[in-house]
Amino acid sequence: MFKVISDLNKKLQNLTLSNLKELCTKHDVIISDDNLLIILKIIQDNPVGIIDSDFHEILLKSIRIQTNHEVSRQFRSIVEGEYLIQELS
């Protein structure tokens, strides 16, 4: 299990803006590049927010604080649907 989490963490660290934007587009989530860059930084600084569902709310709160409520609401479907995890697995 540790190996899986470690591999996923590495993939999250290598995630790019274009990867994140493509994923959002695939799931009909439209967020500006500026806000996606902020989200990308938050994810890379604290990947447990994506990896562990117990931390999803903390991740979304960080996104809300650093962007706004609407961006957090839009990104919620990506987090709760675990689309990013599925994409990287």
Side-chain angles (χ1 to χ4, degrees):
M1 181 67 163
F2 179 75
K3 171 96 169 95
V4 171
I5 292 172
S6 178
D7 289 346
L8 190 54
N9 185 37
K10 285 179 188 175
K11 290 176 182 177
L12 285 169
Q13 294 305 316
N14 292 321
L15 187 66
T16 65
L17 174 61
S18 63
N19 298 135
L20 190 56
K21 187 173 185 173
E22 182 180 319
L23 177 68
C24 287
T25 302
K26 183 191 268 186
H27 294 283
D28 298 320
V29 174
I30 300 170
I31 299 174
S32 73
D33 287 358
D34 290 341
N35 285 326
L36 284 176
L37 281 171
I38 292 167
I39 292 169
L40 184 61
K41 175 90 170 100
I42 292 168
I43 290 170
Q44 289 175 334
D45 286 349
N46 191 10
V48 73
I50 288 290
I51 295 170
D52 188 337
S53 62
D54 290 340
F55 292 93
H56 286 176
E57 284 303 316
I58 295 169
L59 172 72
L60 291 167
K61 184 176 181 179
S62 294
I63 292 169
R64 185 172 51 251
I65 289 168
Q66 293 189 38
T67 61
N68 61 55
H69 180 74
E70 181 61 21
V71 171
S72 178
R73 186 191 64 74
Q74 289 177 312
F75 200 70
R76 177 178 292 279
S77 65
I78 300 294
V79 173
E80 290 179 348
E82 296 188 351
Y83 299 131
L84 188 53
I85 299 292
Q86 293 169 14
E87 193 77 22
L88 296 175
S89 295

